[in-house]
Amino acid sequence: MTEGMKLAANPSVAKLMQDERFMRLLMTAMSVPGKVSSFTTEQKETFAKTMGLATTEELRDLKRTVAALEREVSRLRKAANEG
């Protein structure tokens, strides 16, 4: 943080920060990791679907569904035994 403040106080850096083109470039550079990550995720999902594989999200949803169904079966068994 201290180094950042020193850098911001530098007149050369302050002049660059006022340049719209530089700021646009800086913002683009900062957004690249997120874009790469989302692109990679999309490519993994496309590959999984093409190969007929389940994605992590699909597995998570299936596990939730199975757990809910197991709870429902347990509840129905208890109700049948009591009735």
Side-chain angles (χ1 to χ4, degrees):
M1 185 69 166
T2 306
E3 291 298 317
M5 295 301 286
K6 286 180 185 176
L7 194 59
N10 185 323
S12 304
V13 174
K15 185 176 180 180
L16 266 179
M17 298 297 274
Q18 292 175 353
D19 186 345
E20 183 181 328
R21 294 172 300 167
F22 176 77
M23 290 306 292
R24 207 173 320 133
L25 174 67
L26 184 62
M27 295 305 287
T28 301
M30 290 173 60
S31 71
V32 167
K35 288 180 180 179
V36 169
S37 177
S38 64
F39 175 76
T40 303
T41 301
E42 290 170 7
Q43 291 302 309
K44 285 190 293 187
E45 289 173 0
T46 301
F47 177 76
K49 288 178 184 176
T50 302
M51 298 303 290
L53 304 171
T55 63
T56 303
E57 187 175 319
E58 290 170 331
L59 286 175
R60 187 177 27 238
D61 290 344
L62 286 172
K63 286 179 182 179
R64 281 191 205 126
T65 301
V66 169
L69 290 171
E70 287 174 340
R71 286 191 302 271
E72 182 67 14
V73 167
S74 178
R75 186 186 68 74
L76 291 172
R77 281 187 180 149
K78 286 180 185 177
N81 289 336
E82 291 174 359

